[in-house]
Every structure is written in structure tokens, then in C-alpha cells.
Amino acid sequence: MFVKHGMNSGFSSLASSAVLRRQQFLIRSLKGYSVSDKIRMEAVKCLSGGASLEANAESVLRTITPSLDPTRHKGQAGKIAVIGGCREYTGAPYFAAISALKIGADLSHVFCTEGAATVIKSYSPELIVHPILEESYNISGVNDEGKRDISKKILSEFDKWMERFDCLVVGPGLGRDPFLLECVSKIMTRARQSNVPIVVDGDGLFLVTNSIELVSGYRLAVLTPNVNEYKRLVQKVLGCDVNDQNTHGELLSLSKQIGNVTILRKGKSDLISDGEKVQSVSIYGSTRRCGGQGDILSGSVAVFLFWARQCNSAAERESTISRTNPAVLGCIAGSALLRKAAALAFEHKKRSTLTTDIIEHLGQSLEAISLAS
């Protein structure tokens, strides 16, 4: 089911089995052993022991995806906020936000500049768009004190919404305007103070690479770098070039150095680490490399991270399974679902496959693994 590696793989496997048996015995002793318990135990099994490499992604997806329940109300399946969207880039924040809805989040917000807001709204009436961010060109005649006032106003406006969000996605279509990035760094700091998970992608990674303290030591932060973004992170944090001969060790070191922040290194196989172990998702996706797939991933990880936190909270109340890192679970689930949706889209569209085609297959791909009810 998954690859074992290293000198201690046999011992780790035995130890993991022993832990699994003890957890199963506890469940049977307390309240019987149901089908849902078995599914939960499969997820624990796929994450037990540092020797596991390939994650059992389908078990994770089945475990953390909530069934649709008529007693639940709007918002309980997730409220996601995307921080991004400027004059040049309007597609990326839309892709991230709409992907969150297509997977099953109830509400999806986009915080962007005024120049991007109308365009993003025109893509879909499903999104709640807030044109509160500012770029330098818009305030070029404002003095330093005036800029500080604008920054405070932006933060104050965002604070009105902060407590409603279950996860932030920072970076899709953000751009690299200095004033905008300064405001977003304050939003990230406020989110961290409020214990709101943060998924960082795109230009958000440019911001974090140059201000690593924004996420350092924050266990609810996820970084999703592509090959170039990862290279810059390694150079900045580890002070060396990427070592393709020690991929897993390097990723472990990078995560540890940033305080065990979860990193999803995108590639042929997606590698995921929180500094404790490295897991991979190697499900075949598509050979089509159209832009925007990383935005789908960031929106997906945000939803699954929130669902994993819900799952962990329920498990803790029931005292049935040990807690697992929800950031890691969210990355495994998001990576697997994107790959499955990309494969389905490519099957129909081949070379003409676009990001919008992949988004349309997210729901079908998740339903094939985890039934809605």
C-alpha cells in the first residue's frame, strides 16, 4: 500500500502495528467497532511510523471529508478567505476560491485590490469579493503618515471578518507591490494571533521567503512551493542550493528550520513534511501543465485542512484515535484530489485541458472516493 524504506523499516512496521492494535482494542472496548472507526484507523495506519513514504491518500480523503448532514447550517463545512488579486492577476484568486467551493466549502471570500474586484466578481456570483487592498501606484501622492493610515484602515476592515474564517489562502494573484505586501504581512500576523490556519502559495511565498518570521514556528501554516519557489526557500533558509540527491532529508531540514511548518513540495510526486517525516503523493495526474493548477491546490488544501481539524477535534472528544497533524492531512488530501481531477479532465480534453476543466472535475473525483451521504 505504501513504500517502506530505511534500516529500521521492519521495527517501525511492527511498532506501528502494535499501536494500531491497541487503538482498535480501545475502540471495541469503549463503544464497538463501526465502519467509520475502521476508516479512521486506516488513516492513522497510513500516518503511523516515520518509515512510511507513500501516503494512503484515499483513506485520508475518506476519513476527513464530512458527509452531508441536513442538521448542519451554512458555514459549518468551511469558510475560506483568499488574499490575492491585483491589477495584473485576477484568475489565480478566482481559481483558488472557486475550487474551495467546488470541493464543499460553504463560503469563499476574496480580498483583493479595487482594480481586480469587478473582474473577479464577473467570473462568478458565488464569491464574496472585498476590494480593500491597495497598490503603491494608487497612493503615489500620499505621504508616509497617510500610507500608515491607509494600512490601518485595511487591517481594520479585514479584522471585521477574521473571526469568521476557518482558513486563509495567501498569495494567488497577489503580485509583488511593496505596499500591498506590507499590508498582507500584517494580515498574516493577525491571522496567526487568532490561530487561523494559513496556506501560502504564489507571491505569498515570495513574501514569506523574505520575511520567514511570518510563519516560523506556526504549526497551522502550509507552504506550497513549486520548483523555483522551493529553490529560493532552500537558499534563504538553509543557505545552500537544492540537493536532488537528498530530497527527503533536505525537506525535513527545511521544515524543521522554519519551526516544523508543513511544506508541500510540488513535483512529479508531491512531497509533504512537517519536519517529523516525509510523505509523498504519487497518484498519476496529467501531463498537461496549464497554469493555475497550483491555485486549485491551495484552495483545496485550505478546505481539507479545516476538515482535518474538525476530524481531529471529534476524535479527541471520542478519545478513539491519536491526533495527527491536520496540515499534513490537508496537503495529502488536496494533492490527491487535484491529481485525480486533472487525470479525469485530461481524459476528456487531452492537449486542450485548462484549469477550468480540472475544477469542473473536482466534485466528481471526490464523490468517487467519499460519497456525499
Side-chain angles (χ1 to χ4, degrees):
M1 188 172 291
F2 26 76
V3 179
K4 299 289 184 183
H5 68 93
M7 294 177 63
N8 297 320
S9 61
F11 175 78
S12 297
S13 179
L14 289 171
S16 298
S17 298
V19 171
L20 187 63
R21 286 196 298 272
R22 286 197 297 273
Q23 290 168 334
Q24 290 171 335
F25 175 75
L26 179 59
I27 293 172
R28 288 194 297 269
S29 300
L30 289 174
K31 63 180 184 66
Y33 190 54
S34 66
V35 173
S36 61
D37 293 325
K38 183 178 180 181
I39 292 172
R40 288 195 181 99
M41 294 308 301
E42 281 297 313
V44 173
K45 184 177 179 182
C46 85
L47 291 169
S48 297
S52 296
L53 178 61
E54 180 68 17
N56 188 343
E58 290 198 6
S59 285
V60 172
L61 278 163
R62 282 193 294 268
T63 300
I64 67 176
T65 302
S67 59
L68 297 182
D69 184 343
T71 65
R72 290 164 70 93
H73 59 74
K74 181 177 67 177
Q76 285 187 295
K79 302 175 291 295
I80 307 302
V82 177
I83 315 298
C86 62
R87 183 171 51 172
E88 289 87 359
Y89 306 114
T90 58
Y94 164 75
F95 290 147
I98 202 70
S99 295
L101 290 179
K102 288 286 188 177
I103 288 169
D106 287 334
L107 295 167
S108 201
H109 297 246
V110 177
F111 289 81
C112 60
T113 65
E114 187 175 357
T118 302
V119 180
I120 296 172
K121 286 180 180 180
S122 73
Y123 294 150
S124 172
E126 305 288 346
L127 305 181
I128 303 168
V129 183
H130 309 261
I132 68 169
L133 301 181
E134 289 283 4
E135 292 180 272
S136 299
Y137 78 91
N138 249 359
I139 54 173
S140 57
V142 180
N143 61 26
D144 289 344
E145 185 178 351
K147 289 179 180 179
R148 283 193 291 271
D149 289 340
I150 293 172
S151 180
K152 288 178 183 177
K153 183 179 178 181
I154 291 171
L155 192 59
S156 175
E157 189 65 29
F158 188 82
D159 279 344
K160 296 176 185 177
W161 295 88
M162 176 74 78
E163 66 179 17
R164 309 185 191 195
F165 298 136
D166 299 306
C167 190
L168 302 187
V169 180
V170 176
L174 187 61
R176 298 184 180 183
D177 179 81
F179 181 78
L180 191 154
L181 292 181
E182 180 185 334
C183 292
V184 171
S185 68
K186 293 175 181 177
I187 289 174
M188 291 179 68
T189 300
R190 195 62 60 88
R192 181 171 179 170
Q193 291 169 348
S194 301
N195 211 38
V196 177
I198 306 171
V199 178
V200 186
D201 186 44
D203 287 322
L205 289 167
F206 173 81
L207 172 62
V208 164
T209 300
N210 291 295
S211 304
I212 205 72
E213 69 279 358
L214 288 172
V215 296
S216 183
Y218 189 44
R219 297 300 296 269
L220 290 176
V222 174
L223 310 182
T224 61
N226 61 24
V227 60
N228 291 318
E229 292 158 347
Y230 183 78
K231 178 181 178 181
R232 288 192 288 268
L233 262 176
V234 169
Q235 289 173 340
K236 180 72 173 183
V237 176
L238 300 182
C240 62
D241 290 327
V242 172
N243 181 2
D244 291 326
Q245 304 304 312
N246 185 28
T247 307
H248 298 151
E250 182 179 73
L251 183 58
L252 278 170
S253 297
L254 181 61
S255 175
K256 287 179 181 177
Q257 195 67 28
I258 311 176
N260 292 92
V261 165
T262 299
I263 300 173
L264 191 167
R265 180 186 177 181
K266 295 180 283 195
K268 184 177 180 180
S269 292
D270 289 341
L271 299 180
I272 301 156
S273 180
D274 60 355
E276 301 295 332
K277 66 188 81 174
V278 176
Q279 304 218 46
S280 70
V281 177
S282 304
I283 296 167
Y284 183 75
S286 163
T287 50
R288 182 78 166 97
R289 292 290 179 265
C290 52
Q293 293 182 67
D295 304 311
I296 298 176
L297 180 64
S298 62
S300 303
V301 170
V303 177
F304 286 123
L305 195 165
F306 169 61
W307 287 352
R309 292 188 81 193
Q310 284 188 319
C311 189
N312 272 355
S313 296
E316 194 171 60
R317 288 195 299 271
E318 297 170 9
S319 299
T320 55
I321 65 173
S322 61
R323 288 177 62 99
T324 50
N325 186 343
V328 171
L329 292 173
C331 287
I332 291 171
S335 171
L337 186 65
L338 170 60
R339 286 166 174 266
K340 286 179 175 293
L344 270 179
F346 186 75
E347 188 178 318
H348 291 89
K349 295 295 184 75
K350 300 300 182 183
R351 195 181 296 274
S352 66
T353 302
L354 298 176
T355 299
T356 48
D357 300 316
I358 299 172
I359 289 171
E360 288 307 311
H361 285 86
L362 288 172
Q364 179 185 351
S365 300
L366 183 56
E367 184 69 10
I369 299 168
S370 179
L371 296 177
S373 58

